[in-house]
Amino acid sequence: QVQLVQSGAEVKKPGASVKVSCKASGYTFTGYYMHWVRQAPGQGLEWMGRINPNSGGTNYAQKFQGRVTMTRDTSISTAYMELSRLRSDDTAVYYCARLGYSSSFPHYYYMDVWGKGTTVTVSS
Amino acid sequence: QSVLTQPPSASGTPGQRVTISCSGSSSNIGSNTVNWYQQLPGTAPKLLIYSNNQRPSGVPDRFSGSKSGTSASLAISGLQSEDEADYYCAAWDDSLNGHVVFGGGTKLTVL
């Protein structure tokens, strides 16, 4: 079945970096964009950016420009999200989500498969 | 402050019909389709409605979506206790280089 399996929880100190992985299975990894969304404790969903696993092209939310890097390894169907210069307000659950699309034209796009999330805690 | 505006809370009794609104602007809801996500406590979001009013397979027809101008709505009829969750609207925003914007979320309580 189609699924996204994310790496385990991380605890980091302020100023450090974290790299979260998202392994895809059950579908052609390069055929679907991958998005990253985070959720701070008790807060709503926040879009971070996306990567085209086929080309490696990325598009980041302005808020994270300069601190986030999304990459992929097509040989193992895995996407990565690295966030640097961590602060306490980066404490959140980080989700990867596949961008699915409707089969008929025009195509409509939506995040149809989500990972279970990776908890990142930033604390001194 | 989210780009899309949702009421922070909504409530209803079992069997009742409730609606959740999502307000945006011409650059997001006004020119793109709206998706809705349901997040049960302690779980990842789940796609509930796409392209304003389409249900993915497996989503009960008690859930419906609509869009008019720069606003969208999610309706839940025949409310059930298992519908208690957070609901988020989302859309692409053309003024933000095609980035995705979410609503702040609405916590639905089944009384």
Side-chain angles (χ1 to χ4, degrees):
Chain A
Q1 74 280 25
V2 176
Q3 63 177 349
L4 301 174
V5 178
Q6 297 187 223
S7 48
E10 303 262 14
V11 178
K12 296 292 183 180
K13 293 194 182 305
S17 297
V18 68
K19 190 171 186 177
V20 178
S21 68
C22 171
K23 182 172 177 58
S25 62
Y27 72 97
T28 302
F29 176 65
T30 53
Y32 297 78
Y33 280 62
M34 192 71 77
H35 288 236
W36 290 87
V37 176
R38 77 176 187 179
Q39 184 172 36
Q43 302 301 307
L45 303 175
E46 182 175 31
W47 185 78
M48 299 182 70
R50 63 174 177 261
I51 182 169
N52 178 345
N54 189 40
S55 67
T58 55
N59 194 339
Y60 303 138
Q62 188 168 6
K63 175 177 179 176
F64 301 102
Q65 288 275 3
R67 282 210 304 144
V68 70
T69 304
M70 295 177 187
T71 58
R72 92 291 189 215
D73 184 338
T74 57
S75 69
I76 54 172
S77 299
T78 299
Y80 302 92
M81 186 285 300
E82 183 171 22
L83 190 62
S84 63
R85 302 194 300 278
L86 290 168
R87 307 184 293 254
S88 58
D89 61 358
D90 290 318
T91 294
V93 177
Y94 290 76
Y95 295 102
C96 58
R98 186 185 81 162
L99 189 71
Y101 52 88
S102 54
S103 54
S104 56
F105 189 84
H107 295 307
Y108 297 108
Y109 297 87
Y110 38 81
M111 298 177 202
D112 63 344
V113 182
W114 293 67
K116 291 188 185 302
T118 297
T119 299
V120 175
T121 303
V122 183
S123 174
S124 55
Chain B
Q1 190 81 358
S2 302
V3 174
L4 304 181
T5 301
Q6 297 181 236
S9 64
S11 63
T13 56
Q16 205 172 21
R17 182 178 188 270
V18 298
T19 61
I20 296 171
S21 62
C22 175
S23 176
S25 67
S26 58
S27 64
N28 42 65
I29 294 179
S31 50
N32 295 289
T33 59
V34 177
N35 300 324
W36 288 90
Y37 300 91
Q38 177 193 56
Q39 187 176 34
L40 297 170
T43 69
K46 168 194 164 187
L47 179 65
L48 193 65
I49 296 286
Y50 69 93
S51 182
N52 305 326
N53 55 20
Q54 302 298 302
R55 283 185 309 277
S57 63
V59 173
D61 59 6
R62 302 185 296 104
F63 295 91
S64 62
S66 64
K67 186 185 103 167
S68 178
T70 59
S71 294
S73 290
L74 172 70
I76 310 172
S77 60
L79 198 62
Q80 300 180 4
S81 58
E82 55 261 40
D83 298 334
E84 188 159 292
D86 293 324
Y87 293 85
Y88 295 90
C89 57
W92 267 256
D93 196 308
D94 295 341
S95 71
L96 296 173
N97 195 24
H99 293 179
V100 176
V101 290
F102 283 98
T106 298
K107 181 173 181 56
L108 175 63
T109 301
V110 181
L111 302 170

